[in-house]
Amino acid sequence: MSDIIHLLPEHIANQIAAGEVIQRPASVVKELLENSIDAGGKNIEVHIKDAGKTLIQVLDDGTGMSPKDSMLSIKRHATSKIKSVDDLFSLQTKGFRGEALASISAIAHLVLKTKREIDDLGVKMTIEGGEVVSNEEYIGIKGTCIDVKNLFFNVPARRNFLKSDSVEFKHIQEEFERVALTHPDLHFVLSHNSKNIYDLQPSNLRKRVVGILGASSNDKLVPIEESTDIISINGFVLKPESARKTRGEQYFFVNNRFFKDSYFHHSVNKAFEGLLSPKHIPGYFLYFTIDPSKIDVNVHPTKTEIKFEEGRSIYSILLSSIRQSLGKYNIAPLLDFDQETAFEIPHDLKNQPVVEPHIKVDPEYNPFKTSSSRGSSSKDFTPAMKSQGFGTAMPTQDDWDAFYSNNPEQPQEQQLDLDVFDDEGFKNSFILNNRYMIFPCNEGIMMLDLKRAKQRVVYDDLMKMFISSPINSQEVLFPYEKKLSSNEITAWTENRSLIERLGFRFEINNETLVINSTPDYIFDEIIYDCIDFMTEQLAYKDIDKGEIAHFLVMSISKSSSVFINEISKKQAEVIFLNWKESEERNYAPSGKKIINILQTEEISKLI
Ligand SMILES: Nc1ncnc2c1ncn2[C@@H]1O[C@H](COP(=O)(O)OP(=O)(O)OP(=O)(O)O)[C@@H](O)[C@H]1O
Ligand SMILES: [Mg+2]
């Protein structure tokens, strides 16, 4: 039998390599932006058409390339950034593999225009599927401009796999934001279908974060500043009240490179313990500066995974620096029904001398103890955390993906015997503050938050309808109208079936959204908020359809639970009886507690 192994032709090898680096239009944007920064560009523009499916253009005023270098730049493993393996451990540039341009040109049509300061004329090259089809002189100013068209023209499976324009553009915007946040000193522009999305002038870090998050975020930022022999950390965390349930405002950077890390994310979460409900995710923009020889960037082709030699120590430093700042800026737990019952200190206790609290100290514990790998920390993690990639030797891309898709753990169900509340039980109850239903019970006093109980009832009812059939809807007398951009209109029409399942019926008239029917339970006051919410989620965010339903139904349930008039005992009883049937009756859809018992012992301590 003859030999069967043969070398793949270069163009096929390039296409396969491209699959790892270029997964969607956003990956092209990331690679081109990084090249522009490595080339010393100060003004960098990204122009996108049809979410990158028609055109991705990135232009910079960096060094440009010589005619010979521009020919080489599209060859695999051609790079000006490293010369030896040692350089890998002292990387100052974002690129080093020499793969990005080769990969992009293997699966798209490119026009590359570039000129150096010292050259009179630049070069304009057209490349199709890795082949140079034309190469001519170009008159222009110093810098580089790359147009990428017909992405995945020769990989139909990839092209078909692309999501809607709104989702793909959302990914592009995310990559752009990460790069812009890494370099506040540079000027960045992003446009989509000729509409200006960002024009970020050179500034400091705070202004750049505010430029991305919006002006109202300025007073929500808590500065973090820490410098140790191992690492320096600076940046911001967001105050707990602006934490969201969806991910999106979590950014780690190391030596000017964005990265994802579920282990360090866990450290930030821990620093917020007691300040946030378990379902909320703290927002952060944290910049690490570390000796480049102490990290390994060459772990994954997209370079968003980084190996830290002293991960365990960094975890502790991060935790303590955030806790310190939260303390310094007086970020105290919010007073809430969820918190331990907070009563006024009885008068006679106020006059007693203050006793110094006792603290137990573990003399063996050293938070800065160096360990060669974070693997040694695995014993600190619960099985649930381990399954999400925490505490394993090194979280992999799969761990990260799993971490992103898993929901936070649900709080333990509290076992309460509610059947004791018969007619007699109701007779003994009373309503406090037009909100709380109070019952005496064997253990002490049971307190039910009627507002949250009503939210639970409405939420369950709407979700049940959403899952089995469309949510019931009512035709409105006067339709609600809202002018939308073309992008937003596409998002509404592309998602018509989801929106109708949610109980909204609509049509589009001259770029105006017209809502004719609205879901059961909804109050007029929140309809425009719901429209804005859905527009934002469908056109600009990439959250799951189920999550959209959850948030929408949650706002409807919240608005329907505002008690405008005094609530009667009879009404309270109806809410109680419906709520009692809920499978998740201990928590409101927002994750907040609905019922709690003030134990007799606690009462005795208070008197
Ligand atoms: N905008 C640009 N301005 C100047 N030179 C550029 C630009 N883009 C690419 N180059 C040159 O082309 C080379 C190849 O770029 P490419 O992105 O393929 O590889 P890289 O950046 O070296 O490594 P990586 O694959 O990790 O990104 C670069 O090393 C650089 O010399
Ligand atoms: Mg590169």
Side-chain angles (χ1 to χ4, degrees), residues 14-15 17-23 27-36 38 72-79 81 94-108 110 112 127 130 146 148 151 301-303:
N14 282 347
Q15 269 188 35
E20 287 197 30
V21 185
I22 308 299
Q23 285 141 8
S27 335
V28 175
V29 172
K30 171 182 186 277
E31 294 298 334
L32 297 183
L33 271 173
E34 292 191 346
N35 281 347
S36 294
D38 284 346
L72 272 178
S73 70
I74 56 160
K75 296 273 174 234
R76 230 166 128 209
H77 304 144
T79 180
K81 300 174 191 175
K94 297 187 182 293
F96 56 85
R97 290 170 181 257
E99 276 197 334
L101 282 187
S103 298
I104 299 167
S105 57
I107 48 168
L110 253 71
L112 185 159
I127 306 128
I146 299 184
V148 178
L151 183 63
T302 58
K303 307 178 193 112

Side-chain angles (χ1 to χ4, degrees), residues 505-530:
R505 306 256 177 279
F506 70 97
E507 54 194 71
I508 305 286
N509 279 343
N510 295 328
E511 299 192 350
T512 301
L513 171 75
V514 183
I515 302 267
N516 301 315
S517 298
T518 56
D520 266 5
Y521 294 111
I522 202 164
F523 274 52
D524 290 356
E525 289 77 9
I526 67 155
I527 288 180
Y528 281 109
D529 285 345
C530 289

Side-chain angles (χ1 to χ4, degrees), residues 393-456:
M394 183 70 215
T396 62
Q397 188 67 27
D398 285 350
D399 290 333
W400 182 260
D401 292 343
F403 170 67
Y404 259 56
S405 59
N406 278 357
N407 284 324
E409 265 185 286
Q410 291 291 324
Q412 281 278 312
E413 180 82 352
Q414 194 183 347
Q415 288 311 321
L416 296 170
D417 180 13
L418 297 175
D419 293 332
V420 297
F421 294 104
D422 47 13
D423 287 348
E424 196 55 31
F426 282 123
K427 249 188 240 151
N428 293 333
S429 70
F430 66 95
I431 295 164
L432 180 72
N433 253 0
N434 206 30
R435 174 158 181 179
Y436 304 105
M437 198 170 183
I438 313 286
F439 305 90
C441 66
N442 285 346
E443 292 93 339
I445 295 172
M446 195 182 281
M447 304 168 294
L448 175 80
D449 186 330
L450 287 166
K451 187 173 150 84
R452 290 182 190 160
K454 173 95 188 281
Q455 284 168 20
R456 172 47 73 198

Side-chain angles (χ1 to χ4, degrees), residues 28 32 56 73-74 100-113 124-134 145-151 153:
V28 175
L32 297 183
I56 297 166
S73 70
I74 56 160
L101 282 187
S103 298
I104 299 167
S105 57
I107 48 168
H109 293 167
L110 253 71
V111 178
L112 185 159
K113 288 176 277 184
K124 177 178 173 186
M125 266 175 26
T126 309
I127 306 128
E128 292 181 0
E131 297 291 320
V132 179
V133 293
S134 80
C145 174
I146 299 184
D147 292 358
V148 178
K149 298 176 193 162
N150 300 328
L151 183 63
F153 78 98

Side-chain angles (χ1 to χ4, degrees), residues 292-559:
S293 67
K294 300 265 173 75
I295 58 173
D296 184 0
V297 180
N298 198 14
V299 183
H300 192 266
T302 58
K303 307 178 193 112
T304 50
E305 255 183 66
I306 309 238
K307 222 189 206 148
F308 287 80
E309 212 176 275
E310 292 173 290
R312 182 103 171 96
S313 308
I314 297 171
Y315 181 100
S316 309
I317 297 169
L318 185 60
L319 177 66
S320 73
S321 60
I322 297 176
R323 279 194 179 154
Q324 213 176 359
S325 290
L326 290 173
K328 198 157 110 194
Y329 287 85
N330 278 332
I331 313 290
L334 301 166
L335 275 186
D336 201 315
F337 195 64
D338 298 0
Q339 303 296 328
E340 297 268 298
T341 338
F343 283 96
E344 255 289 278
I345 302 174
H347 186 260
D348 42 342
L349 280 187
K350 277 183 186 163
N351 300 328
Q352 285 180 13
V354 180
V355 184
E356 206 177 313
H358 288 283
I359 303 167
K360 269 197 203 152
V361 179
D362 173 3
E364 301 296 305
Y365 180 67
N366 174 2
F368 299 109
K369 203 168 104 203
T370 315
S371 128
S372 60
S373 110
R374 60 180 68 165
S376 57
S377 64
S378 60
K379 64 174 176 0
D380 298 347
F381 296 90
T382 63
M385 283 160 150
K386 281 185 191 157
S387 77
Q388 296 190 352
F390 298 134
T392 55
M394 183 70 215
T396 62
Q397 188 67 27
D398 285 350
D399 290 333
W400 182 260
D401 292 343
F403 170 67
Y404 259 56
S405 59
N406 278 357
N407 284 324
E409 265 185 286
Q410 291 291 324
Q412 281 278 312
E413 180 82 352
Q414 194 183 347
Q415 288 311 321
L416 296 170
D417 180 13
L418 297 175
D419 293 332
V420 297
F421 294 104
D422 47 13
D423 287 348
E424 196 55 31
F426 282 123
K427 249 188 240 151
N428 293 333
S429 70
F430 66 95
I431 295 164
L432 180 72
N433 253 0
N434 206 30
R435 174 158 181 179
Y436 304 105
M437 198 170 183
I438 313 286
F439 305 90
C441 66
N442 285 346
E443 292 93 339
I445 295 172
M446 195 182 281
M447 304 168 294
L448 175 80
D449 186 330
L450 287 166
K451 187 173 150 84
R452 290 182 190 160
K454 173 95 188 281
Q455 284 168 20
R456 172 47 73 198
V457 172
V458 172
Y459 179 90
D460 284 3
D461 200 19
L462 288 172
M463 265 328 217
K464 237 179 260 158
M465 287 195 243
F466 173 73
I467 288 161
S468 55
S469 58
I471 289 181
N472 291 344
S473 67
Q474 312 291 332
E475 214 168 299
V476 293
L477 217 50
F478 303 104
Y480 296 86
E481 296 191 353
K482 174 115 198 181
K483 198 136 184 82
L484 298 181
S485 72
S486 58
N487 216 7
E488 293 165 349
I489 287 175
T490 317
W492 273 77
T493 39
E494 273 179 358
N495 290 287
R496 184 179 284 276
S497 63
L498 167 73
I499 296 166
E500 292 190 346
R501 249 178 96 176
L502 286 165
F504 290 94
R505 306 256 177 279
F506 70 97
E507 54 194 71
I508 305 286
N509 279 343
N510 295 328
E511 299 192 350
T512 301
L513 171 75
V514 183
I515 302 267
N516 301 315
S517 298
T518 56
D520 266 5
Y521 294 111
I522 202 164
F523 274 52
D524 290 356
E525 289 77 9
I526 67 155
I527 288 180
Y528 281 109
D529 285 345
C530 289
I531 294 173
D532 289 346
F533 167 77
M534 288 203 288
T535 306
E536 187 181 337
Q537 296 306 324
L538 299 172
Y540 306 111
K541 301 270 155 77
D542 189 13
I543 68 167
D544 181 81
K545 307 259 152 87
E547 263 187 278
I548 295 183
H550 161 72
F551 283 115
L552 187 92
V553 167
M554 193 163 76
S555 359
I556 299 177
S557 69
K558 268 194 176 159
S559 75

